[in-house]
Amino acid sequence: MQKRNAFYAQSGGVTAVINATACGVIQTARKHKDRIGKVYAGRNGIIGALTEDLIDTSRETSRAIAALMHTPAGAFGSCRYQLASFDKNPAQYERLLEVFRAHDIGYFFYNGGNDSADTCLKVSQISARLGYPIAAVHVPKTVDNDLPITDCCPGFGSVAKYVAVSMREAAFDVASMAKTSTRVFVLEVMGRHAGWITAAIGLADDAETPIPLVLLFPEIAFDEARFLAVVDAKVKKFGYCCIGVSEGLKNADGALMAEAGSKDAFGHAQLGGVGPMIATLVKDRLGHKYHWAVADYLQRAARHLASKTDVEHAYAVGKSAVLLALAGNNAVMPAIVRTSDKPYRWKIGVAPLDKVANVEKMLPRNYISADGYGITARARAYLSPLVRGEDFPPFKDGLPQYVRLKNAAVPKKLAAAFKI
Amino acid sequence: MQKRNAFYAQSGGVTAVINATACGVIQTARKHKDRIGKVYAGRNGIIGALTEDLIDTSRETSRAIAALMHTPAGAFGSCRYQLASFDKNPAQYERLLEVFRAHDIGYFFYNGGNDSADTCLKVSQISARLGYPIAAVHVPKTVDNDLPITDCCPGFGSVAKYVAVSMREAAFDVASMAKTSTRVFVLEVMGRHAGWITAAIGLADDAETPIPLVLLFPEIAFDEARFLAVVDAKVKKFGYCCIGVSEGLKNADGALMAEAGSKDAFGHAQLGGVGPMIATLVKDRLGHKYHWAVADYLQRAARHLASKTDVEHAYAVGKSAVLLALAGNNAVMPAIVRTSDKPYRWKIGVAPLDKVANVEKMLPRNYISADGYGITARARAYLSPLVRGEDFPPFKDGLPQYVRLKNAAVPKKLAAAFKI
């Protein structure tokens, strides 16, 4: 077999563990120098390929690459940029091909979520449509946990752990204050379409540490009167109540709550945030003093609290992507296959990319409790293994030491620039 | 010396390490059984004393008390409730005295911030004014870090660590996304009057991990035009910018930028919302895509990321409070005395309570950079030791195991109830 270079890129919203996947790709490629020459990373994802802005990862030390295991976010830069279809914009694909040919790229590893799976699928078609041999492998990553076939998505487990831990800690705080002050705490979390992250908040509450929790899922239309009654009952019974709300909460008409009302009780337009909106509603209608938090990027960047299971998944899909490509696969994605809940066991399987691209896996209704405000035992059995284990980064002077790579550019070979 | 019981209460906003102080008080009292009978904790702070709602901590196992070291928030409940002056409401003090006498309480340990120091001082005066012998010792605690005399306040170091780590992690995320998406990230943090917590965000940026950071301190009046120019320059130079903003940011007239309208029991305005406000301003005026987070209780409850130094301080002031009382002190507070920056060394000193109560220690101007948007080397030398060291709690199934005490009530001895 001919030795060829590999292209790796990070796409879409980044996670606490996407660099662990990069580490898996690069370390595994380095172990197969007979087949894979250099790993070139796209600076800012696929844009780096289109603009011939490639990063030479061979210039990074083994130590720096190893440090990716504990460094959050995208070490090579990511992007939100989706390729058009081949028929709509063939020039894009011809450009990609030109860049790949100039740098002898025979392997394409694309690390992302739903949109990225679609991009990767399109790139895989270059092989057949333009007669250029390339192995395109999608590497799963998304905090939203909404990719099909794979049991879970690297990035999700760490967010799940973060929101569960944060809610548990905040609940202890609110319980302390409830006698004379805050009685209701609202935590807004990510997950615009699917309520996986919202469900993970439910892990904060367990048999040893019960917490009066109300979850607002994007899958369940918001019913103000029912919600207020549930919250008030919990405050009356327990003295306080903690509310976890998805940024994607919708009203009965299917409109996003955050967009439905553009002004909140502060009288400020465009404050945004369904979290403060829910908190204000509780205050206005029930009179309970509230606090609210919007975790935003903190939840998906929190490598300091990553799930060890998630880190292991993330590395494994990177490693497997390379092995799949070396075995001659194209248009596939390594998938996490759960073989047992208790004890938790998993292995890597293979998913055909056309079954992954643009398919969203929603939270099953039987993961949500009958009243719509909590999680079921089934959800707990699914979620619990994913947050398990700690994998603290090294700390120096009290702060985690995250690596910044040199990210040296590969000299350009093409005369023409490409405008994205 | 006569053997008498002790009263301990938690007051005001709780922290990630106030229970470590409780642990210090209780463990030290248990070592002096010849002098101290039982430690009674006030259920929900001083309210527990007024309503004779006392918790018998002797009913808790050594193991449960030890677990307070790693459990955030107030294990006995806190409150926002300030005693009036003796002359305005003598009935309150007579009631306290009645409860203390009924339960033979000779030691009063009050664990709180500014307002609480004032309460403790008032209680200490019972001794002289009503002829009841009691040793009242204030035990410092406040995430705001604004108590005078003590070099720092237990609770602050852990919040400082949390906001610095969170900003560093979010900055890595934003840097990854900035090419095609988010360019400005805003993190709103606590600190109503003093910018200590805002300053701590500055630790996210250091020589090894530079981050384009703009800090908005409550001490520096917000100047919209200057602020926008600084942010825009950073985005142009670095591709992105991270903004840390105090909830207490004020405009040129000294008015809070974000007022929620409601006030707490001390008459303080309830804050929230300046983060999204600043983010929206950046978007409207500069056109940069933004994200914002409001950490709220997450920052002060985050025991999972506590500073080891802070935990040690918290325990030490609890232990020292008991020793000070046993040595016959009244109306004092154990204070943390820094004897060296490098290496960091500290010891416990004694502060007279009348020099502590109602005095706020503001962030010195020379801790803020000349342009008003960053911290100086001096601030860094002060802050850095306070976030140092990790002290992770035990985890089980991926979540920290925090203790909930039995909190068994001491049988009431008084016929009359007391309405607070």
Side-chain angles (χ1 to χ4, degrees):
Chain A
M1 292 286 275
Q2 200 186 339
K3 177 167 169 172
R4 300 178 71 199
N5 296 317
F7 175 82
Y8 166 80
Q10 302 176 319
S11 177
V14 293
T15 79
V17 302
I18 184 173
N19 284 333
T21 298
C23 181
V25 167
I26 295 168
Q27 287 186 343
T28 309
R30 287 184 177 188
K31 281 183 187 152
H32 294 86
K33 291 202 170 150
D34 55 324
R35 302 276 307 282
I36 301 175
K38 291 183 171 183
V39 177
Y40 294 143
R43 197 183 303 274
N44 302 306
I46 194 73
I47 288 177
L50 289 167
T51 59
E52 204 198 353
D53 195 354
L54 305 178
I55 291 165
D56 186 352
T57 69
S58 75
R59 304 275 295 276
E60 309 292 344
T61 62
S62 305
R63 192 183 161 140
I65 295 303
L68 290 177
M69 278 298 279
H70 63 251
T71 297
F76 309 108
S78 184
C79 69
R80 296 203 178 276
Y81 186 84
Q82 201 167 7
L83 293 188
S85 73
F86 192 93
D87 294 326
K88 272 194 181 157
N89 194 347
Q92 265 183 343
Y93 294 89
E94 282 152 16
R95 171 64 179 187
L96 277 183
L97 189 56
E98 209 177 15
V99 173
F100 291 169
R101 189 169 276 143
H103 295 278
D104 193 23
I105 287 165
Y107 307 95
F108 179 82
F109 301 110
Y110 206 44
N111 200 176
N114 274 302
D115 296 331
S116 318
D118 179 66
T119 298
C120 189
L121 182 62
K122 285 165 178 163
V123 168
S124 75
Q125 294 162 352
I126 294 181
S127 185
R129 297 194 67 149
L130 299 175
Y132 179 82
I134 193 163
V137 178
H138 187 250
V139 203
K141 167 249 45 162
T142 171
V143 297
D144 291 335
N145 203 41
D146 59 355
L147 288 171
I149 304 179
T150 187
D151 178 66
C152 62
C153 303
F156 170 69
S158 295
V159 173
K161 187 182 184 95
Y162 178 93
V163 299
V165 171
S166 295
M167 185 57 106
R168 177 174 290 187
E169 291 178 332
F172 271 68
D173 193 310
V174 181
S176 312
M177 304 305 295
K179 177 76 177 177
T180 56
S181 180
T182 307
R183 293 209 169 92
V184 171
F185 175 75
V186 180
L187 174 62
E188 177 184 323
V189 300
M190 288 179 157
R192 190 145 277 233
H193 304 300
W196 295 103
I197 299 176
T198 309
I201 301 174
L203 296 176
D205 162 49
D206 63 18
E208 276 176 60
T209 311
I211 290 168
L213 214 54
V214 174
L215 302 180
L216 296 173
F217 296 94
E219 287 87 353
I220 307 284
F222 183 64
D223 178 335
E224 185 178 307
R226 271 190 67 227
F227 164 73
L228 289 171
V230 167
V231 170
D232 206 37
K234 292 213 188 258
V235 173
K236 285 204 171 82
K237 185 170 175 188
F238 302 101
Y240 71 105
C241 178
C242 293
I243 300 167
V245 54
S246 162
E247 61 175 348
L249 183 66
K250 295 172 192 73
N251 63 20
D253 302 328
L256 284 169
M257 293 286 292
E259 286 169 9
S262 58
K263 290 193 179 185
D264 73 357
F266 307 140
H268 302 138
Q270 285 184 296
L271 262 187
V274 66
M277 184 184 295
I278 292 294
T280 308
L281 179 71
V282 167
K283 169 76 177 170
D284 289 351
R285 302 297 161 84
L286 302 177
H288 300 309
K289 185 165 185 262
Y290 64 84
H291 263 252
W292 55 266
V294 176
D296 193 66
Y297 279 0
L298 304 194
Q299 72 200 282
R300 74 181 201 194
R303 181 60 185 81
H304 76 269
L305 191 59
S307 149
K308 188 164 193 283
T309 304
D310 192 30
V311 175
E312 287 168 358
H313 286 164
Y315 186 87
V317 294
K319 175 182 172 181
S320 302
V322 174
L323 299 179
L324 284 170
L326 287 174
N329 291 278
N330 189 27
V332 295
M333 177 185 90
I336 294 152
V337 179
R338 184 186 299 222
T339 55
S340 159
D341 270 342
K342 263 189 176 183
Y344 177 60
R345 288 205 189 95
W346 59 281
K347 61 179 186 183
I348 295 289
V350 187
L353 212 41
D354 57 358
K355 296 276 185 281
V356 174
N358 299 316
V359 179
E360 274 183 324
K361 184 172 71 180
M362 308 307 280
L363 188 66
R365 184 58 182 86
N366 65 8
Y367 278 31
I368 303 175
S369 59
D371 72 356
Y373 296 123
I375 57 171
T376 59
R378 204 159 186 154
R380 207 171 274 278
Y382 170 77
L383 293 166
S384 186
L386 306 183
V387 304
R388 228 169 273 166
E390 291 65 57
D391 187 42
F392 301 114
F395 280 73
K396 186 185 168 193
D397 293 339
L399 269 81
Q401 276 198 291
Y402 296 138
V403 72
R404 279 204 181 127
L405 301 180
K406 288 198 288 268
N407 282 351
V410 177
K412 296 201 185 209
K413 297 190 172 183
L414 300 175
F418 186 84
K419 205 169 156 52
I420 56 162
Chain B
M1 291 286 274
Q2 200 188 341
K3 177 166 168 172
R4 300 179 70 200
N5 296 318
F7 174 82
Y8 166 80
Q10 302 176 319
S11 177
V14 292
T15 79
V17 302
I18 184 173
N19 285 334
T21 299
C23 181
V25 167
I26 295 167
Q27 288 186 341
T28 310
R30 286 183 177 189
K31 281 183 187 150
H32 293 86
K33 290 202 170 154
D34 55 324
R35 304 276 307 282
I36 301 176
K38 291 183 172 183
V39 177
Y40 295 142
R43 197 182 305 273
N44 303 306
I46 195 73
I47 289 177
L50 289 167
T51 59
E52 205 197 353
D53 195 354
L54 305 177
I55 290 165
D56 186 353
T57 70
S58 75
R59 304 276 294 276
E60 309 292 343
T61 63
S62 305
R63 193 183 162 142
I65 295 302
L68 290 176
M69 279 300 279
H70 63 251
T71 298
F76 309 107
S78 184
C79 69
R80 295 202 179 274
Y81 186 86
Q82 202 167 9
L83 293 189
S85 72
F86 192 91
D87 295 326
K88 273 195 182 159
N89 194 345
Q92 265 184 342
Y93 295 88
E94 282 152 17
R95 170 66 179 187
L96 277 183
L97 189 57
E98 208 176 15
V99 172
F100 291 168
R101 189 168 277 145
H103 295 277
D104 193 24
I105 288 165
Y107 307 95
F108 179 83
F109 301 111
Y110 206 45
N111 200 176
N114 273 302
D115 297 326
S116 319
D118 179 65
T119 299
C120 189
L121 182 61
K122 286 166 178 163
V123 169
S124 75
Q125 294 161 352
I126 293 181
S127 185
R129 298 194 67 150
L130 298 176
Y132 179 82
I134 193 162
V137 178
H138 187 250
V139 203
K141 170 252 37 166
T142 170
V143 296
D144 292 335
N145 202 42
D146 59 356
L147 287 170
I149 305 179
T150 187
D151 179 67
C152 62
C153 303
F156 169 68
S158 295
V159 173
K161 187 181 186 96
Y162 179 94
V163 299
V165 171
S166 296
M167 185 57 107
R168 177 174 289 184
E169 291 177 331
F172 271 67
D173 194 310
V174 181
S176 314
M177 304 306 295
K179 177 75 178 177
T180 55
S181 181
T182 305
R183 293 209 168 92
V184 171
F185 175 75
V186 180
L187 174 62
E188 177 184 323
V189 300
M190 288 179 158
R192 256 167 227 273
H193 305 299
W196 294 103
I197 298 176
T198 309
I201 300 173
L203 296 176
D205 162 49
D206 62 20
E208 277 176 61
T209 311
I211 291 168
L213 213 54
V214 174
L215 302 180
L216 296 173
F217 296 95
E219 287 88 352
I220 307 283
F222 183 64
D223 179 334
E224 184 178 307
R226 270 190 68 227
F227 164 74
L228 289 170
V230 167
V231 170
D232 206 37
K234 293 215 188 256
V235 173
K236 285 204 169 81
K237 185 169 176 188
F238 302 100
Y240 71 105
C241 178
C242 293
I243 300 166
V245 55
S246 162
E247 61 174 351
L249 183 67
K250 294 173 194 71
N251 64 20
D253 301 329
L256 285 168
M257 295 286 290
E259 276 246 25
S262 58
K263 298 196 170 186
D264 71 13
F266 293 132
H268 302 141
Q270 184 174 342
L271 304 180
V274 69
M277 185 185 294
I278 292 295
T280 308
L281 180 71
V282 167
K283 170 76 177 170
D284 289 350
R285 301 297 161 82
L286 303 176
H288 301 309
K289 185 166 185 259
Y290 66 84
H291 263 252
W292 56 265
V294 175
D296 193 67
Y297 280 0
L298 269 46
Q299 71 200 284
R300 75 180 199 193
R303 181 61 185 79
H304 76 269
L305 190 59
S307 150
K308 188 164 193 283
T309 304
D310 192 31
V311 175
E312 288 168 357
H313 286 163
Y315 186 87
V317 293
K319 175 183 171 181
S320 302
V322 174
L323 298 178
L324 284 170
L326 287 174
N329 291 278
N330 188 28
V332 295
M333 177 186 89
I336 294 154
V337 179
R338 183 185 300 224
T339 55
S340 160
D341 271 341
K342 263 188 179 185
Y344 177 62
R345 287 204 190 98
W346 60 281
K347 62 180 185 182
I348 295 289
V350 187
L353 211 43
D354 57 358
K355 296 275 185 283
V356 174
N358 299 316
V359 179
E360 275 183 324
K361 184 171 71 180
M362 308 306 281
L363 188 68
R365 185 57 183 86
N366 64 9
Y367 278 30
I368 303 175
S369 60
D371 73 356
Y373 296 121
I375 58 169
T376 59
R378 203 159 187 155
R380 208 171 273 279
Y382 169 77
L383 292 166
S384 186
L386 306 184
V387 303
R388 227 169 275 165
E390 291 67 56
D391 187 41
F392 301 114
F395 280 73
K396 187 186 169 192
D397 293 339
L399 270 82
Q401 276 198 290
Y402 296 138
V403 72
R404 279 203 180 131
L405 301 180
K406 289 197 287 267
N407 282 351
V410 177
K412 296 202 187 209
K413 297 190 173 185
L414 300 175
F418 188 84
K419 205 168 156 53
I420 57 163

